Amino acid sequence: MDIQKATEEKLERKMQMGVPIDETILEGLIQKKLLTEEAAQRLLAQKNDLNKEIRKNVVSVRITDDVINIIDDLITSGHVNSRSEGASYLIMLGVKSHYSFFNELSKEVTVIEEQRKKIKNLIESSLIFSETSPNSQLIE
């Protein structure tokens, strides 16, 4: 595999992991002959598609001055283009670094949701809340 194809594949994997790739990085790689212009255009198109797909939810959060300084440093370095993108990037880093924990948490939440459904069905099917129950006057 040639170096240009290897570079494109590596950048593609990084983008799929949520790592933002700036156009200036791609331009530098083209100048160093590590990436073709066609590959850079493909990567930019993928970046736009991934941003639309991945970052469609809005969450408002309060953060410390230290965190906003980190986000601003990411912007200044050209790694991200906005505070929104920087916050998203930091969140994705946190999620990815603790992926096994969140995967396990998701499984446990599924169990809890199933138990809640069973309890709801049990309550709804019981005679306690039935209108024909002889004790229905006690509930009123």
Side-chain angles (χ1 to χ4, degrees):
M1 177 183 306
D2 69 358
I3 189 74
Q4 292 174 332
K5 186 66 176 165
T7 302
E8 180 181 3
E9 289 177 2
K10 185 175 182 179
L11 290 170
E12 187 175 344
R13 282 191 306 274
K14 287 193 177 289
M15 285 184 357
Q16 289 171 345
M17 291 174 39
V19 176
I21 306 296
D22 191 64
E23 286 185 50
T24 56
I25 293 171
L26 297 177
E27 289 169 8
L29 292 170
I30 292 169
Q31 288 175 355
K32 293 178 183 177
K33 306 281 189 217
L34 296 174
L35 190 67
T36 65
E37 288 191 32
E38 295 81 15
Q41 292 302 316
R42 282 192 301 274
L43 289 167
L44 288 173
Q46 286 178 350
K47 175 184 175 183
N48 291 335
D49 290 344
L50 286 172
N51 283 343
K52 288 176 188 170
E53 179 184 324
I54 294 172
R55 297 184 61 219
K56 62 184 176 186
N57 299 304
V58 176
V59 177
S60 178
V61 297
R62 295 188 183 276
I63 56 175
T64 65
D65 289 341
D66 290 340
V67 174
I68 201 69
N69 289 336
I70 291 168
I71 292 171
D72 288 342
D73 288 345
L74 288 169
I75 294 168
T76 301
S77 71
H79 197 64
V80 297
N81 296 316
S82 66
R83 284 182 166 177
S84 175
E85 193 176 312
S88 178
Y89 175 69
L90 292 178
I91 291 168
M92 286 306 302
L93 285 178
V95 169
K96 288 178 183 188
S97 68
H98 299 288
Y99 181 79
S100 61
F101 164 75
F102 289 115
N103 192 32
E104 190 64 30
L105 177 64
S106 180
K107 290 177 187 175
E108 295 301 323
V109 167
T110 301
V111 170
I112 291 169
E113 289 171 344
E114 289 171 0
Q115 290 299 316
R116 285 184 175 175
K117 285 178 188 174
K118 286 180 183 178
I119 291 169
K120 181 181 177 186
N121 289 337
L122 177 65
I123 291 171
E124 288 175 353
S125 67
S126 73
L127 294 178
I128 295 172
F129 293 108
S130 171
E131 289 185 26
T132 59
S133 170
N135 297 325
S136 64
Q137 293 176 350
L138 296 176
I139 297 174
E140 296 172 356

